[in-house]
Each structure stands twice: as structure tokens, then as C-alpha cells.
Amino acid sequence: MNNPIVFSDFDGTITERDVLMSIVEHFAPPFWKEIWKKIFTRELTISEGVRQLFHLIPSSRKEEIVNWVLKNMKIREGFQEFLIFLKKKDIPFVVVSGGLDFYIYPLLEPYKELITAIYSNKAKFDEKYIEVEFIYKCNDVCKEDCGMCKPYIMEKYYKNKRPWIYIGDSITDLTAAGLSDIIFARDYLAKTLRDLKIQYFPFNNFIDIRQKMIKLI
Ligand code: MG
Ligand code: ZN
């Protein structure tokens, strides 16, 4: 494989647990469960759901949340070695996340020199409750109202014909994974791809991905 580019989800992919969900579970009042249900029954789009979930949390808790995240959320094994491997091979690593910048950047701070770009939603703390700003909205490639549209980013900024490798874990990765040449998947994404009979490589950590990639490139 020549000259690939790697796109990766953040929550539950780079991190062991879904940080967005963990924050909501820990910091939002129990009503979050009603909103969460509506996202799954599609009464709410993903972007509207994320907006409503964070609107349950006071802006004043920002620092407390970031400290809690840094203390409790773990990066998946082999991540740094994987990034160094990519850097040596001159393969770009781009994070495409439906999560929020205010916890992604602190968690990725130790690796920032090794990461090509990070795309995510933006959290705002000027009002009483946290507001979410959606910068990268869907276009005609995708009409899901993702909030942060992964296919949109990939098509807009990376549409030259180099092979796309996608790493993800969730249902929100499905469209982006489907556009990619090689998929690494775990959890719900893996299950869904299996049902759809779309080929993917399973992974538990970034050591698995690096070993597979050494064979592929
Ligand atoms: Mg995820
Ligand atoms: Zn979209």
C-alpha cells in the first residue's frame, strides 16, 4: 500500500473508555439518560443530542472536569509507539472526533508533535451551561446531522487518492469507515460491519494495529 493516511476516532478508540459518555455520566444530572435514549431511537440527531447532554452541565465545572478526565481516562495501549511508527514512515495521523475540544486537547497534549491534525466539536463556557459549537457540519456526502461530520472532513481536506485507513469503535464511525480502504474496528463498529459483511481488522490496542500495518505497507 502506497502513501496511506490514517484517520482515527477519539472516544473509545484512542481512549479506553468513551470520555464524552464518562463525563456525562459523572457530571450531568440523571436526566441525561432520557436524552441518550432519544439519540438511539433517532428522535434526536447526534448533534442535537450532544448539545442537550452538555447543556445539563454548568460551565463553572470546566476545570474540575478536565482534571477528572486527566486523572481517570486512559489512552489505549501502544498509542505513542504507533504514532512514532507512523511518523517514521511519513504517514499522517488525523483525529476525527465527535467529542469536544476541551477534553481532547489536554489528553492528547503529550502526543501533539506526532499528530497531523485534530478535528472535533468546540465547547463554549461563556453561558451558565456548556454550549457546543459544531464547526464541521455534514454536506451532501452525509446527511446524518453528525455535528462533527467525519466524511465531510475526509472528503474536504484529504480527497487526493491516497489510501484511507480508518480506526474507530462506534456507530458514528460507520459512514467514515465505509468510505475508507482499510478499517480497524472494535466494539459496536466491528459488530455492525460484521452484520453488513464489510471487511475490517479487529483490534484491542494500537500494538495490534501497528503489527497489521507493518504487513500491509
Ligand atoms: Mg468512539
Ligand atoms: Zn455527517
Side-chain angles (χ1 to χ4, degrees):
M1 193 194 343
N2 249 334
N3 220 6
I5 177 163
V6 177
F7 296 101
S8 177
D9 171 51
F10 182 77
D11 283 277
T13 299
I14 292 176
T15 56
E16 283 180 7
R17 288 175 57 198
D18 190 308
V19 183
L20 186 147
M21 274 317 298
S22 303
I23 292 173
V24 169
E25 270 171 27
H26 200 81
F27 291 93
F31 180 70
W32 72 265
K33 287 184 185 139
E34 303 300 313
I35 299 172
W36 189 244
K37 252 185 247 157
K38 284 186 184 167
I39 299 175
F40 270 88
T41 55
R42 296 197 167 228
E43 274 171 79
L44 289 177
T45 61
I46 300 164
S47 73
E48 184 53 23
V50 168
R51 196 192 67 74
Q52 290 191 14
L53 285 172
F54 277 87
H55 206 67
L56 298 171
I57 305 173
S59 297
S60 59
R61 303 192 75 179
K62 179 186 178 183
E63 251 193 62
E64 190 191 339
I65 297 172
V66 172
N67 290 336
W68 183 84
V69 162
L70 287 173
K71 189 164 170 247
N72 294 289
M73 296 292 114
K74 303 259 176 300
I75 299 291
R76 196 170 289 279
E77 197 186 358
F79 184 58
Q80 182 160 8
E81 294 79 357
F82 179 61
L83 293 181
I84 292 168
F85 159 77
L86 294 181
K87 190 101 184 162
K88 279 190 190 145
K89 301 269 180 202
D90 225 8
I91 300 170
F93 181 83
V94 175
V95 179
V96 282
S97 167
L100 302 177
D101 59 348
F102 85 107
Y103 66 79
I104 296 173
Y105 282 83
L107 279 168
L108 290 181
E109 175 68 23
Y111 314 98
K112 65 176 184 208
E113 306 296 326
L114 299 165
I115 295 171
T116 311
I118 301 171
Y119 300 95
S120 75
N121 297 313
K122 190 170 165 47
K124 292 171 73 180
F125 300 89
D126 319 322
E127 308 288 333
K128 187 156 190 266
Y129 292 93
I130 300 175
E131 301 275 353
V132 181
E133 192 182 338
F134 300 102
I135 308 163
Y136 308 105
K137 294 187 180 147
C138 304
N139 62 354
D140 43 321
V141 183
C142 170
K143 294 184 165 60
E144 299 278 315
D145 194 16
C146 307
M148 208 308 286
C149 186
K150 302 177 190 214
Y152 169 75
I153 295 288
M154 292 155 74
E155 296 266 336
K156 183 172 166 73
Y157 297 106
Y158 302 96
K159 207 186 160 75
N160 52 356
K161 233 4 212 169
R162 60 198 297 175
W164 286 355
I165 297 173
Y166 192 87
I167 310 172
D169 74 310
S170 180
I171 204 74
T172 50
D173 297 303
L174 189 60
T175 315
L179 293 170
S180 302
D181 301 280
I182 288 172
I183 309 167
F184 289 96
R186 56 180 297 280
D187 207 27
Y188 288 106
L189 180 64
K191 238 179 274 165
T192 310
L193 291 172
R194 213 180 308 140
D195 291 345
L196 294 170
K197 300 194 166 38
I198 296 173
Q199 202 205 343
Y200 69 93
F201 298 111
F203 74 95
N204 285 316
N205 55 48
F206 286 95
I207 303 164
D208 300 341
I209 300 176
R210 188 183 55 177
Q211 280 168 351
K212 191 78 207 171
M213 272 187 68
I214 289 170
K215 288 182 199 148
L216 291 170
I217 59 176

